[in-house]
Amino acid sequence: HRGDNPVNWAYEKKSWRLKTRKKNLINRKRVLNYVATQEPNYISNHAAYTVGKWANVLSPESRMVEFFINEESYGIYNETEHLDESFLRNNNLMPVNIYKGEQVNGERKMMLDKDLFNNPTLWSKTAFFNQLAEDDFSDLSYFLEILRKAETSETAFNQLKKVARFEDWAKFAAFQTIVQSWHNGPNANMRLVLDPWRGNVLPILSDTNLSLCGGYTCNEQTKGKWTLDVTTDPLLHIYHGSSEFLVEKYRHLYKLVKNGVLL
């Protein structure tokens, strides 16, 4: 079964993970996830991943499928590729580190702070840079240290801009605004590519959905009122205090709107 959240395995319709043999890849993918959506609208996750592709954000391939086990139909599922080394290769990235940040459910490390950005040991790897040991987290520690210092140091902030480039994170922030979903937060659903070849940090879409009510929360007060500048992680919180970053973010938002993504 895919996922440790009980909604993935506790009920009759479960989420599944398929892993093939190395010689039997499916469209250059070895691991595929079949997710029983938690959203009232079945296409919410698939739509978000599709918009992510249009926004040039790192996103898993996604499609809607009818899922069969032993020739018995289990209904409609969202098929997504797993975020592993195959994902990197399919996105023209060298085999580098993909860090997974989850401090919820079965993956939570008890008796520790839930904030992923306070402690590199709260993260795990789903792909690793093979020129260093798999348990080497020095690149993540370096990034988090710069991030902490950037809150009060202009020198560190300028250094952070080189590691987490405005262009990459402005696209990600614009995507979050266009789908009205900030499901990637400081204690869950965080996926980062740390690329020592290029020396930068990239966000990956994970478990993201598309809000269908046009607001940060779906109720009568927020319906139709679009939220533009929400931040759920420390990096984007710092960056949203920079006018230079906001100009870059709104430039990407403008492109998405002009290209008809909302339609």
Side-chain angles (χ1 to χ4, degrees):
H1 294 133
R2 176 261 185 194
D4 60 352
N5 189 322
V7 298
N8 286 306
W9 50 262
Y11 303 104
E12 183 176 0
K13 186 167 184 175
K14 309 176 190 303
S15 294
W16 298 88
R17 176 167 293 157
L18 171 69
K19 185 176 184 179
T20 72
R21 297 183 184 276
K22 290 183 178 179
K23 294 182 179 180
N24 298 329
L25 301 183
I26 301 173
N27 296 325
R28 300 190 300 171
K29 305 175 188 70
R30 190 182 180 198
V31 182
L32 292 168
N33 295 308
Y34 293 89
V35 182
T37 181
Q38 302 171 31
E39 301 297 322
N41 187 303
Y42 268 42
I43 69 165
S44 178
N45 297 101
H46 171 64
Y49 291 135
T50 302
V51 173
K53 292 288 185 183
W54 292 341
N56 292 319
V57 175
L58 282 177
S59 314
E61 292 286 345
S62 170
R63 65 174 182 157
M64 301 303 295
V65 300
E66 184 177 3
F67 189 72
F68 292 82
I69 300 177
N70 297 330
E71 300 183 0
E72 179 182 354
S73 174
Y74 279 71
I76 302 301
Y77 277 74
N78 178 209
E79 177 195 84
T80 61
E81 67 176 314
H82 195 51
L83 300 178
D84 54 13
E85 187 173 325
S86 297
F87 170 81
L88 293 172
R89 295 184 185 278
N90 292 336
N91 284 275
N92 299 315
L93 294 170
M94 296 287 285
V96 292
N97 290 322
I98 296 181
Y99 283 100
K100 175 184 180 182
E102 296 285 348
Q103 260 291 73
V104 293
N105 298 320
E107 293 183 85
R108 182 177 178 185
K109 294 179 173 63
M110 302 303 292
M111 308 302 291
L112 292 174
D113 185 2
K114 291 185 68 174
D115 193 333
L116 296 162
F117 290 85
N118 283 340
N119 189 346
T121 64
L122 298 179
W123 301 68
S124 60
K125 291 183 182 180
T126 61
F128 68 96
F129 180 50
N130 56 18
Q131 295 189 22
L132 293 174
E134 189 172 352
D135 60 356
D136 186 306
F137 283 52
S138 57
D139 53 348
L140 180 62
S141 298
Y142 174 72
F143 164 62
L144 296 182
E145 181 67 20
I146 294 175
L147 179 58
R148 281 192 292 270
K149 291 180 178 179
E151 295 184 14
T152 56
S153 167
E154 185 176 354
T155 301
F157 181 77
N158 290 330
Q159 192 175 6
L160 181 65
K161 287 165 54 178
K162 297 177 182 178
V163 176
R165 300 182 304 178
F166 273 3
E167 179 183 359
D168 299 323
W169 287 87
K171 288 179 182 178
F172 186 70
F175 159 80
Q176 289 181 313
T177 299
I178 211 78
V179 298
Q180 291 289 280
S181 177
W182 294 268
H183 203 215
N184 312 103
N187 59 12
N189 296 323
M190 287 302 305
R191 304 293 186 274
L192 299 175
V193 173
L194 272 77
D195 187 344
W197 299 104
R198 299 179 182 179
N200 58 19
V201 180
L202 300 169
I204 311 177
L205 300 191
S206 174
D207 229 1
T208 302
N209 65 311
L210 177 74
S211 172
L212 299 177
C213 65
Y216 182 48
T217 56
C218 292
N219 55 50
E220 289 302 316
Q221 287 72 38
T222 62
K223 188 175 182 180
K225 296 178 181 179
W226 294 88
T227 307
L228 297 179
D229 294 316
V230 172
T231 62
T232 55
D233 66 73
L235 176 63
L236 286 177
H237 181 73
I238 292 174
Y239 277 2
H240 274 73
S242 164
S243 58
E244 182 184 354
F245 176 82
L246 290 176
V247 168
E248 186 72 14
K249 171 186 172 179
Y250 279 88
R251 184 180 293 119
H252 287 294
L253 265 176
Y254 181 73
K255 287 180 183 178
L256 291 173
V257 174
K258 289 290 288 184
N259 289 338
V261 168
L262 287 178
L263 298 179

